[in-house]
Amino acid sequence: TKPGAQPKQEKLLRLDAKSKPETPFKQVMALKNKPVFRPTASLPQQVVTDWIAGCVEMMDRRRKDKDSLAGRDEGQCGDTGATGLVKMEECPGKTAAVKEVPSFDPECQPNPHTLATFSHQASDPGFLSYCQTPPGSEAVQHLLNNGDQEAKERIFQSVMLCDLLDMATNSQSCQVVQKLCSCVGHDKLEKLVIPVSKQFITLSLHPSGHQAVLAVLAVASQDQRNMITSQLESENTLLQLLKDKHGYFVVQRCLPYIQAETISCIAKSLECRVVEVGRHPQASFFLQEFFRQFNGKDRLVDLLQEKVMASLECLAYCDTGLWLVQTVIKLGQPSAITTAIGWLENNMQNVLEDCKAVFVARTLVQQLLARSMKGVQNTWSQAMDRLVEKMIDTMVVVVNGDTLPLIVVAAMHHAGHIVVQEVVRQKEWLGDSREKMKRVMEQHRLRLRVDTYGCLVVKG
């Protein structure tokens, strides 16, 4: 052999060694190097076990669905001529008679033969069950969009034969009801409005049922809408819907359609529950929209706004209540603004040091400055001057024992500085208090410049 060349026998031995299976020691080492799941407090073993079991169950279900579809295709040995339905009793070897429902593939448009077949079966007792499946729901909706008038009539009759509550409380069949509302005339829509109005509360509180109510409201006539909106005159019904995340949307959608009598009844119902409604997440936003739409149009609505301002102590320090108070102030009723001015004068320091109520104070300051006129004294500019002088004249003892004006303490506060910043930014609209405020701010300029929030006021 040549120098450096390996003998053939040695090469063969090495090849044989490579082809041998791994030793148990190597297999154990390989297992040790594999990643292993270790449960944690946020991801316990039971969660992973349930997830794996769910995946296995889903895979088994998909495999069974594929097998059943394959079996259906192979088993179509009966008469499929005019109807397109499989009559299993005519297939040899089949013991049970099963009538198949026409299938619909959402990936492709159904042909006219499939739609015609379905239209003949629309009044079948299994119509509800069929609509509650995703393929069935899409097939019926497609037929409502593209079918002839006869097919739409059959579907309408089938829906009316079903229990509308069962149809609307299923997410798939509810889509059929919504589509049907936009495809029928007002005379037939009346037949849908009646059961919807009878089941108004139940449907409005349901995750999918409230969508059916919204669909009816969108296309109904005013008389038909009155059948639904008039139920809001009941205090129990109104409060039950307002406190529900689905019912809130229904009541909100009803606002443009309610009549004067219903507006007065809603205002009366909420008059003694202002704090309860104003502090509730959904109900508070409804009341804000209610005020925006009917401000100045009904005396009872104006009285309800006054009730809100009379409850400032309960609402201004609340996450949701402060938005309601700000809405009433922005609407600009003189009585509401006057009430807010008196409240701020009596609670100046507490308001400026509260991270929620301070936004009410800023809204009030913005409204007063917007109503003021340069060089002209009016009611609102005088009220603004009183508030600024109150902040300057009120002395506060700070941590190190120094006594500072409240306006300086508020300027260095994480919440109060937004009010002082607003006043300083629009100081040209102030009256007699402007020069006095300038002197105080200039006197404490160095202290403010080195403060995290005070420096923002100095820049203003």
Side-chain angles (χ1 to χ4, degrees), residues 408-423:
V408 176
V409 175
M412 297 186 294
H413 193 271
H414 66 277
H417 79 279
I418 66 172
V419 174
V420 181
Q421 194 174 12
E422 188 71 28
V423 173

Side-chain angles (χ1 to χ4, degrees), residues 62 98 109 125 155 162 181 215 217 253 259 263-264 310 352 381:
R62 287 186 177 179
V98 180
Q109 300 296 336
I155 293 175
C162 299
C181 290
L217 286 171
R253 191 68 61 87
Q259 300 300 303
I263 295 173
S264 300
L352 293 179
S381 61

Side-chain angles (χ1 to χ4, degrees), residues 145-189:
N145 284 330
N146 303 293
D148 54 16
Q149 193 61 35
E150 182 183 358
K152 295 179 181 179
E153 178 65 25
R154 288 179 178 271
I155 293 175
F156 176 77
Q157 295 298 334
S158 298
V159 171
M160 297 309 300
L161 289 174
C162 299
D163 186 352
L164 188 64
L165 187 61
D166 293 337
M167 286 282 294
T169 52
N170 179 273
S171 59
Q172 299 298 330
S173 56
C174 183
Q175 296 178 24
V176 175
V177 176
Q178 296 177 60
K179 179 64 68 175
L180 185 63
C181 290
S182 60
C183 296
V184 298
H186 286 289
D187 54 337
K188 292 182 179 177
L189 187 61

Side-chain angles (χ1 to χ4, degrees), residues 321-378:
L322 69 92
W323 291 102
L324 177 60
V325 174
Q326 290 182 81
T327 299
V328 175
I329 293 175
K330 289 177 181 179
L331 291 175
Q333 291 286 351
S335 59
I337 296 180
T338 302
T339 303
I341 292 171
W343 169 76
L344 183 56
E345 283 183 321
N346 296 329
N347 304 275
M348 182 72 73
Q349 184 173 349
N350 293 335
V351 172
L352 293 179
E353 293 179 351
D354 187 86
C355 59
K356 300 180 181 67
V358 71
F359 290 99
V360 177
R362 184 179 66 172
T363 302
L364 176 62
V365 168
Q366 290 171 343
Q367 293 299 312
L368 290 176
L369 292 174
R371 286 166 170 75
S372 301
M373 299 177 64
K374 283 186 179 180
V376 179
Q377 291 288 326
N378 59 16

Side-chain angles (χ1 to χ4, degrees), residues 8 29 40 78 121 152 157 196 206 217 277 302-303 311 333 361 434:
K8 292 183 178 181
M29 293 302 296
T40 62
Q121 298 294 327
K152 295 179 181 179
Q157 295 298 334
V196 167
H206 193 273
L217 286 171
V277 173
D302 297 339
L303 290 175
S311 306
Q333 291 286 351
R434 180 175 60 206

